[in-house]
Amino acid sequence: MTVSDTVAPLVRAVLGAQVPVGIRCWDGSRSGPSDAPWRVHIVNRRGLRRLLWAPNDLGFARAYVSGDIDIEGDLLAGLDVLEQVSDPSRGPGVRIDRQTKKALVTAALRLGIIGLPPKPPAEEMKLARGHRHDKGRDAAAISHHYDVGNDFYRLVLGESMTYSCAYWVQQSEDLDAAQYAKCDLVARKLGLTAGMRVLDVGCGWGTFALHAAREYGVHVVGVTLSHEQAKYAGKRMVDAGVGDLVQIRVQDYRDVADGPYDAISSIGMAEHVGAAMLSTYAADLFALLRPRGRLLNHAISRRPGKSDATFSKTSFIDRYVFPDGEIEPIAPMIEALEGAGFEVRDVESLREHYALTLRAWVGNLEANWDEAVAYSSAGRARVWRLYMAGAALAFAGNRLGINQVLAVKSSERGHSGMPGTRDELLQPSAQIPSRPGREQGKPLGSG
């Protein structure tokens, strides 16, 4: 009996008998349909040993990230197939029931793979002890995710260097154009006009700050906890000719004390705040705004109900992607904003837009795989491929959402300064005349 003869029933039990998947094992044996969209390659015995010690998504992630198990072929196409046969509320994943665990042990004995648990890959992270979401621990979590290397991120994100959901006005447009459209959507909702003072919380590599300064003539303070991002963004502003309008700081949002600001953008940052800190987050931003100032909070949400294990301390996401990440339903975010004194004026879901964005990022990574590995590591590139592909399915399947919540700091008498209709809200506000080196509609990454 070959290795694939022993392993194939286990793979079918885990993924579902109706899933067309090929199997290739370390002894050269194969099974499954030859035209399957993807193939699971069990490179060595250690891959199965990892699953034996952690028979779940974390065990599979360890095996994949370390290269002990590989996924050959079109990963997204394979996951699309799994999506169709999985529990819609949970999506595809490695979930091994009691009977399959027994079969795994039996197979392990037959194949001689019983042994001590292998050491986790170097890309796995467990944060040092400390209170979740205190400043030092948050800084370490942000560094783990964002200080991978700017060259690596450029390959994945494209020239815009925008690590948040794009806005696909037309599905046929390219990624950079869709990111440009998202930045302008935020600017319009905030009602930006020349001379305003804007705080960009979690500014990333500075794409929105650059757009707001270059196209609307506003003064921007961008804050991030990532030194790599801040260094890149600061140089980017100078190169783009807006260094006089944009200041980039390595700073926790809780330490910003130079308000008031006319508007605040928070794009893809609130996911790092934590459920227990949402009220503090909302109160701090409220205090930094002038009366009638607007906040645009762009953040991922999960479906309401009992929290799943996606961000548990033993999940793939927590150990490899977003340490201490917490995704909450949209209701607690709105409750926190209103509790701080904000008036919520507009909520827009961009869920399908994020599924498209993630697929574009996966395509970029796979098209530039060798360079991505050279800029980081094979393990890091594998982490990103797996996480982005899985996230694309989660947004498409309505297990995750992404919402833009527009809130205003109305005056004590209730004056908001908001336009009367949503059509007026989304109209472009007065943009600035041309600055030296500025071209209307110039691609964001061209600096």
Side-chain angles (χ1 to χ4, degrees), residues 219-235:
H219 297 266
V220 186
V221 172
V223 297
T224 174
L225 292 177
S226 168
H227 290 268
E228 287 281 325
Q229 286 183 336
K231 181 179 178 181
Y232 182 97
K235 182 178 184 301

Side-chain angles (χ1 to χ4, degrees), residues 195-261:
M196 290 177 66
R197 190 164 184 254
V198 179
L199 175 64
D200 188 17
V201 181
C203 65
W205 290 272
T207 306
F208 176 72
L210 172 58
H211 177 75
R214 190 167 65 185
E215 304 299 332
Y216 290 85
V218 301
H219 297 266
V220 186
V221 172
V223 297
T224 174
L225 292 177
S226 168
H227 290 268
E228 287 281 325
Q229 286 183 336
K231 181 179 178 181
Y232 182 97
K235 182 178 184 301
R236 188 180 190 187
M237 301 308 142
V238 173
D239 292 346
V242 295
D244 58 326
L245 293 177
V246 182
Q247 179 188 15
I248 303 295
R249 305 174 185 165
V250 178
Q251 187 175 36
D252 192 290
Y253 75 92
R254 289 163 285 192
D255 293 329
V256 177
D258 58 349
Y261 288 89

Side-chain angles (χ1 to χ4, degrees), residues 392-410:
L393 266 66
F395 282 101
N398 196 24
R399 293 183 294 278
L400 289 177
I402 181 80
N403 305 286
Q404 288 191 348
V405 178
L406 178 66
V408 64
K409 184 176 181 175
S410 298

Side-chain angles (χ1 to χ4, degrees), residues 328-398:
E328 294 298 315
I330 189 174
M333 175 59 73
I334 291 177
E335 183 178 9
L337 293 174
E338 292 184 330
F342 282 106
E343 178 187 1
V344 173
R345 297 298 300 251
D346 186 78
V347 178
E348 182 175 9
S349 171
L350 302 178
R351 178 172 63 81
E352 290 85 355
H353 294 259
Y354 218 163
L356 290 171
T357 305
L358 284 154
R359 284 179 175 271
W361 290 344
V362 172
N364 285 345
L365 176 60
E366 292 181 340
N368 298 284
W369 185 261
D370 291 341
E371 287 182 86
V373 170
Y375 283 136
S376 57
S377 68
R380 182 63 62 190
R382 287 168 177 268
V383 167
W384 274 76
R385 184 185 184 215
L386 188 61
Y387 126 69
M388 292 190 301
L393 266 66
F395 282 101
N398 196 24

